Amino acid sequence: MSFKQEARKFYPKWPIYNEKEINALTEVIKSGEWWCGAPGAHQGNNVWAFQEEFAQLQGSKYCVAVCNGTVAIEAALMALNIGLGDEVIVSDYTFVASASAVIATNAVPIFCDIDPNTLVMDVNNIEELITERTRAIIPVHLGGNPVNMEHLMALASNYDLKVVEDCAHAHGSDFKGKKVGNWGDAGTFSFQASKVLTSGEGGAIICNSEELADNIYSYIDCGRKKNQYFYKHYSYGTNYRMTEYQAAVLRAQLKKFPDQHKLRNENALYLIKKLNDIKGIKTMELTPGTTSLGWYVFPIVFEPKEFGGITKSEFYKKLNRNGVPTDDCYPPLHSLDCFKTTNLKKGIDYSKANWGGEKSINRNFPVVSDIYSRSIEFPQEMFLADRENLDNVVTFIKSLKEKN
Ligand SMILES: Cc1ncc(COP(=O)(O)O)c(C=O)c1O
């Protein structure tokens, strides 16, 4: 997503920072402790402190911090022993990372169409995608909106499948009173620059099993174990460690999060009501059972005929030109060039996937294809604007009807 900073008139720039982030970074630099490894070998303390603080925020027992949200998914899958020949069901409406992380483990992603109202994976479509090779499901809580985890976990339990929740958009979201990321085996987060908690790049995995947390940790720290000799590598692992710089900035951002989260939720409810009063606009519906959302990207779906037949690129470009940063939504995974070919990785058989070549046609993914053709998205910082500016956004969208 690339919401241009200079275009914005109606809502604040992102990221928001002050001397707290600057001082935290300066302290790390001056300390000379710039990295953080396992206890027993490590230098700095910010990463381990952040892991505890983030676990507390998300209501989980364990958290492992990593360098970005893509490898967070990969690490969770690897620690759950997903790999060669396994199929993993993923929402078709998400950022490429939800599926590229599956490819990284040598498993095969299988794309699941979405619910036209909530815009997240339609849990009623999952069962027909399950084969004897299916090993895991990755529900993506798009825009913070939770997938119906009650339904999904019942299916996972029936078919003995692992569940890795992609919570890259869902910091602070809950479903039926439980924070997302705690329903499945693990939940993964991103702290990339546009996210509601950010250090430019960064990621984390939360879970509630000590054994799984240890396995994830080992994978992201070169196969090491905590409190063991530095040059002992017990299992296959790689280096996806978070730096002390990232953790120091995140700890400062974390302190701002509760107030921002509250404001986003209040403003979102205010704006949704006003936008849905405009004929031809429909906002993402909250999954029933949700009380609080992370509110990351905020998709709206429009009826072109109500706006004089406007195309979606005309729609969001007009908004951009008038100081309301908006962007295209994620192109569905099945439509991406990389998933039109079955030669992604040497030696891996993708021929049984529900994408690739002729299979990657929109007709095979009807709901997401229609929604994508008519949806645009707003960035999360829109919900940090004051009410007057939120009203201005609504007025501007209404004015597009008159001009077309
Ligand atoms: C749904 C989703 N999953 C995973 C990621 C990957 O996160 P990162 O960019 O930190 O690697 C993103 C990034 O935007 C995302 O939107």
Side-chain angles (χ1 to χ4, degrees):
M1 184 204 342
S2 55
F3 296 109
K4 295 195 174 44
Q5 296 277 13
E6 66 275 13
R8 54 195 64 204
K9 203 156 70 186
F10 296 130
Y11 32 92
K13 286 188 180 175
W14 185 263
I16 290 173
Y17 66 92
N18 60 15
E19 72 287 349
K20 295 267 179 356
E21 280 78 3
I22 296 170
N23 292 343
L25 268 181
T26 310
E27 264 179 45
V28 172
I29 291 177
K30 286 187 178 161
S31 73
E33 297 182 341
W34 295 2
W35 81 294
C36 184
H42 75 287
Q43 287 194 332
N45 285 313
N46 281 297
V47 173
W48 288 94
F50 171 70
Q51 289 176 162
E52 274 179 29
E53 290 160 7
F54 190 66
Q56 202 176 5
L57 178 82
Q58 289 303 137
S60 63
K61 282 194 188 150
Y62 306 98
C63 170
V64 180
V66 288
C67 51
N68 64 58
T70 308
V71 301
I73 304 170
E74 177 191 325
L77 292 171
M78 288 296 288
L80 288 165
N81 207 22
I82 306 298
L84 186 65
D86 295 342
E87 290 181 357
V88 179
I89 299 171
V90 189
S91 173
D92 196 37
Y93 205 22
T94 177
F95 182 59
V96 66
S98 311
S100 63
V102 176
I103 302 280
T105 68
N106 292 333
V108 178
I110 302 294
F111 303 144
C112 182
D113 208 344
I114 60 168
D115 175 272
N117 301 312
T118 59
L119 311 186
V120 294
M121 170 185 259
D122 187 340
V123 286
N124 296 309
N125 291 337
I126 296 175
E127 203 157 12
E128 68 196 33
L129 298 173
I130 296 175
T131 71
E132 71 280 3
R133 292 175 298 276
T134 310
R135 294 286 173 275
I137 311 175
I138 303 184
V140 182
H141 307 304
L142 185 92
N145 203 18
V147 173
N148 182 335
M149 291 307 294
E150 212 166 49
H151 189 132
L152 188 141
M153 291 311 294
L155 275 175
S157 152
N158 277 350
Y159 289 92
D160 195 19
L161 304 176
K162 303 291 183 198
V163 175
V164 174
E165 296 174 65
D166 182 345
C167 311
H169 300 184
H171 314 63
S173 291
D174 62 40
F175 177 67
K176 300 215 165 166
K178 197 199 269 194
K179 289 253 162 56
V180 298
N182 292 291
W183 285 84
D185 295 277
T188 65
F189 291 81
S190 164
F191 308 122
Q192 176 269 339
S194 56
K195 303 299 186 302
V196 294
L197 250 186
T198 182
S199 45
E201 299 281 3
I205 305 107
I206 61 167
C207 66
N208 291 294
S209 146
E210 188 175 13
E211 189 188 348
L212 180 62
D214 285 347
N215 289 343
I216 293 170
Y217 182 77
S218 194
Y219 183 67
I220 67 101
D221 191 16
C222 313
R224 292 188 176 107
K225 284 186 182 169
K226 289 179 237 169
N227 299 313
Q228 299 295 332
Y229 176 56
F230 190 64
Y231 287 124
K232 272 216 170 231
H233 305 276
Y234 294 87
S235 52
Y236 165 66
T238 180
N239 175 7
Y240 289 156
R241 292 186 304 263
M242 177 179 272
T243 68
E244 279 289 288
Y245 308 116
Q246 288 169 299
V249 172
L250 283 168
R251 294 184 73 198
Q253 291 272 300
L254 209 47
K255 296 209 171 67
K256 301 183 172 76
F257 180 79
D259 287 345
Q260 291 175 347
H261 181 71
K262 185 166 173 282
L263 183 60
R264 278 192 202 96
N265 275 279
E266 288 164 1
N267 276 346
L269 297 183
Y270 175 82
L271 191 66
I272 280 176
K273 194 171 171 319
K274 296 211 159 199
L275 286 174
N276 284 323
D277 282 345
I278 305 175
K279 192 158 182 244
I281 295 286
K282 191 172 179 306
T283 64
M284 172 180 84
E285 264 174 38
L286 269 62
T287 302
T290 311
T291 46
S292 164
L293 252 70
W295 297 110
Y296 174 54
V297 288
F298 177 60
I300 63 169
V301 186
F302 68 99
E303 278 304 337
K305 67 174 187 320
E306 294 293 337
F307 290 85
I310 195 169
T311 65
K312 81 163 173 175
S313 74
E314 282 163 357
F315 198 105
Y316 69 75
K317 281 181 188 155
K318 278 193 181 168
L319 284 158
N320 280 340
R321 276 198 295 275
N322 285 278
V324 186
T326 47
D327 208 341
D328 192 7
C329 289
Y330 301 115
L333 296 181
H334 77 266
S335 71
L336 301 181
D337 287 344
C338 58
F339 296 118
K340 285 185 183 148
T341 158
T342 46
N343 296 325
L344 273 81
K345 250 179 146 182
K346 195 173 167 185
I348 310 292
D349 177 12
Y350 300 106
S351 65
K352 296 192 180 66
N354 65 344
W355 48 268
E358 288 293 293
K359 291 185 229 164
S360 290
I361 49 171
N362 286 347
R363 205 172 352 111
N364 289 347
F365 303 89
V367 179
V368 69
S369 302
D370 169 51
I371 293 289
Y372 173 66
S373 72
R374 301 185 287 116
S375 52
I376 62 167
E377 67 187 21
F378 294 87
Q380 48 89 2
E381 59 269 27
M382 172 169 70
F383 296 123
L384 300 177
D386 54 36
R387 292 281 162 101
E388 198 186 326
N389 278 323
L390 293 179
D391 291 343
N392 285 334
V393 172
V394 176
T395 308
F396 185 75
I397 293 178
K398 278 185 184 155
S399 78
L400 289 178
K401 282 172 96 83
E402 286 136 33
K403 286 181 201 147
N404 280 284

